[in-house]
Amino acid sequence: MKKSRLLKIVLLLLLLIPAVYLVRLSIFPGFFVGRPDAIYGQEAYRTEFLAADGTPLRGWFFNRGQGSPLVAVYTGNNMNVGGVLALALADASRSYLMLNYRGYGDSEGVPSESRLVADARHCIAEARRRIGGQSTPLHIVGYSIGSGVANQVAAAESPATLTLICPFDSITEVACDFVPLLPRLLLPNTFVSTDFAPRITCPVTVLRAEADALVTAPHTAALLRAYPAPPQEHVLPADHNSVFFLPEFIPLVLKSLENGRFSGDLPSAAAGK
């Protein structure tokens, strides 16, 4: 009887180990997104910030001087933030804080939901100090898992605008599309953005990928319903990992930073559906 019980426990563990891996893989595809060549040639902007616990966080800080608005950018899982430096290079009117999460790129430490959010808030304060003032206007941009970070930071920091790319209601709900029920037991870092959205009062812009097979439309729609005011939504002709390569991507993000409302001509493919 004891041997039978032990065998059942061993079999259960053997099933759970690949299940944990599959859940993680379904959410975090594990390949570099963005233009790797954008990293090179930007040595002058490389920087290191120390987290509150002393962990070195490394990436890029484009300091455009006192009085310039600050844009904090949070990217996806298994992604080096250097892949989206083109955004900062296309906009010399704002300062850009683009640090890799702890454990990502050259940053040290071990990531977790609470640490990523705490690091983001701490580094925003430091970036404002380096620019020359805590009253520096703040804009927040978040992609995929970075949208989870961005929502929590926005709920606490009251930014001027919030721009989300391929955002979701929660990682748990997204994961359940791939492995039903198990994510509710196995995922310690859930990024439940719908809990924070009701506290966000700034203009919100959402860029959703039409062919997104990872964060499907219902998960983005559930998040949009949670904000006090309806966000401005644009559906892009791309999948989850190719939105960055669209010619309209950078113009749309830059337009969203202008108090969250678009004006002037935009590429036709960027029109909301």
Side-chain angles (χ1 to χ4, degrees):
M1 191 72 175
K2 290 183 179 180
K3 288 184 178 180
S4 175
R5 187 178 305 165
L6 179 62
L7 180 61
K8 288 180 180 178
I9 293 172
V10 171
L11 289 174
L12 179 61
L13 289 173
L14 289 174
L15 288 172
L16 282 177
I17 290 172
V20 172
Y21 174 77
L22 286 172
V23 167
R24 181 173 176 80
L25 183 63
S26 69
I27 308 167
F28 311 135
F31 50 81
F32 184 89
V33 182
R35 293 180 172 84
D37 58 339
I39 294 177
Y40 305 106
Q42 305 305 322
E43 295 300 321
Y45 298 101
R46 281 187 182 271
T47 191
E48 177 180 291
F49 281 56
L50 294 181
D53 63 1
T55 300
L57 305 175
R58 302 183 178 101
W60 291 263
F61 181 41
F62 294 78
N63 187 345
R64 268 56 186 261
Q66 189 168 3
S68 62
L70 173 64
V71 183
V73 180
Y74 305 105
T75 49
N77 198 68
N78 290 317
M79 180 178 179
N80 191 314
V81 71
V84 293
L85 292 189
L87 179 61
L89 296 175
D91 178 19
S93 67
R94 301 177 180 90
S95 295
Y96 279 78
L97 179 63
M98 309 174 86
L99 298 176
N100 280 307
Y101 304 130
R102 54 174 66 211
Y104 286 55
D106 294 330
S107 294
E108 299 179 23
V110 178
S112 73
E113 179 176 349
S114 60
R115 288 170 183 160
L116 265 56
V117 174
D119 290 347
R121 296 191 64 193
H122 178 80
C123 291
I124 284 172
E126 171 61 16
R128 280 174 154 163
R129 187 192 67 78
R130 295 189 189 186
I131 290 172
Q134 291 302 312
S135 60
T136 300
L138 174 65
H139 301 267
I140 298 176
V141 178
Y143 159 72
S144 193
I145 198 172
S147 72
V149 177
N151 270 296
Q152 294 190 39
V153 174
E157 297 290 339
S158 301
T161 65
L162 173 62
T163 304
L164 303 175
I165 304 133
C166 302
F168 49 77
D169 46 359
S170 84
I171 282 185
T172 302
E173 296 305 318
V174 171
C176 283
D177 286 350
F178 299 88
V179 188
L181 299 180
L182 278 177
R184 303 189 193 283
L185 302 174
L186 303 177
L187 287 178
N189 299 312
T190 56
F191 286 100
V192 185
S193 290
T194 48
D195 285 351
F196 297 90
R199 303 184 219 164
I200 297 172
T201 57
C202 69
V204 179
T205 300
V206 169
L207 307 182
R208 179 169 67 81
E210 184 176 31
D212 198 331
L214 186 63
V215 178
T216 55
H219 294 296
T220 300
L223 174 62
L224 267 58
R225 290 193 297 270
Y227 292 104
Q232 186 167 81
E233 180 184 11
H234 287 262
V235 183
L236 303 181
D239 60 28
H240 190 81
N241 294 306
S242 64
V243 289
F244 302 99
F245 303 109
L246 296 174
E248 62 266 35
F249 175 74
I250 290 178
L252 276 171
V253 173
L254 295 183
K255 285 288 186 181
S256 74
L257 303 181
E258 298 173 4
N259 69 36
R261 290 294 175 261
F262 296 102
S263 60
D265 295 330
L266 290 172
S268 59
K273 295 187 179 180

